[in-house]
Amino acid sequence: TLVAAHPQCPEVVARTETRALFLLDIRTGKRRDIQGVADGRTAAFSPDGKRIALWADGGIALVDTVTAVLTRLEGTQVCGGTPRWSPDGKRLAWLSGDPMAAGNRFNVTVEFWDAATGQRKPVIGPHELIGEPEWSPDGTRLAVARHNAIVRGDVPLTLEVASLDGAKPIEIADGFLGMPVPASLCWTAD
């Protein structure tokens, strides 16, 4: 199964039936196993194609595309979605949390990791359910759609935007009706 691809890279990330991950060169068919992954879920290539972020074995791991060496970001706990690289490839965001920690209710936070400092920090949440984070084009903010309470079968959503400087996230829109799962977002260039 194809997990991730990059438009300028000759390799894709694929997954076996047992959720082991490997790199597959689409020109030659050569396979390189990514060692140390028992349960690979999703993956994303960095914008320059030099690294791959994985949701694997419950946490975040990075793979060097040249060596296929895996490095885990210690202490991360992913609860869904695909890790998201910032447009410049200097930061990585993901949905963090333990879906069972709050008694069968999701308790989700958006975290990001800074490649230059190695530090990670929460920027949005915790909330019951959050859609996948989306980076602004300049890589300085993250946006998510998150659920509020279900009202007569409808699911009101809140659009929340956070800067990376630690300021409190801003609610841009509140109460618009969404699908049962928070929708994906897209920033405009301006």
Side-chain angles (χ1 to χ4, degrees):
T1 305
L2 178 66
V3 177
H6 188 283
Q8 284 96 26
C9 294
E11 291 182 308
V12 297
V13 178
R15 181 176 64 203
T16 68
E17 299 80 27
T18 61
R19 293 194 175 153
L21 296 176
F22 60 94
L23 293 167
L24 179 66
D25 189 313
I26 57 176
R27 299 167 304 181
T28 66
K30 181 181 175 189
R31 173 181 164 161
R32 295 189 298 150
D33 291 336
I34 299 173
Q35 300 296 322
V37 175
D39 185 12
R41 299 292 180 116
T42 61
F45 278 87
S46 61
D48 63 7
K50 293 180 180 178
R51 291 183 290 187
I52 302 165
L54 304 175
W55 169 21
D57 304 323
I60 296 291
L62 302 174
V63 176
D64 181 294
T65 56
V66 174
T67 64
V69 171
L70 178 130
T71 305
R72 295 193 185 280
L73 296 183
E74 294 301 324
T76 56
Q77 186 172 22
V78 180
C79 61
T82 301
R84 306 283 179 127
W85 288 98
S86 61
D88 62 6
K90 294 180 180 178
R91 295 178 193 91
L92 184 67
W94 65 89
L95 299 177
S96 176
D98 180 355
M100 303 311 281
N104 292 333
R105 297 174 76 182
F106 282 95
N107 194 20
V108 182
T109 300
V110 175
E111 286 191 40
F112 83 92
W113 169 77
D114 187 310
T117 65
Q119 299 296 309
R120 50 179 244 263
K121 113 178 162 178
V123 289
I124 297 176
H127 297 294
E128 282 188 39
L129 190 58
I130 298 177
E132 296 205 41
E134 190 62 46
W135 288 96
S136 62
D138 65 2
T140 62
R141 295 170 290 165
L142 283 161
V144 295
R146 65 174 171 83
H147 279 285
N148 298 325
I150 297 176
V151 180
R152 289 188 292 268
D154 291 323
V155 184
L157 297 174
T158 297
L159 178 62
E160 198 165 326
V161 177
S163 62
L164 304 182
D165 62 9
K168 183 179 177 187
I170 300 168
E171 292 182 359
I172 302 294
D174 192 14
F176 64 97
L177 298 181
M179 303 178 340
V181 175
S184 295
L185 301 173
C186 182
W187 290 81
T188 61
D190 57 352

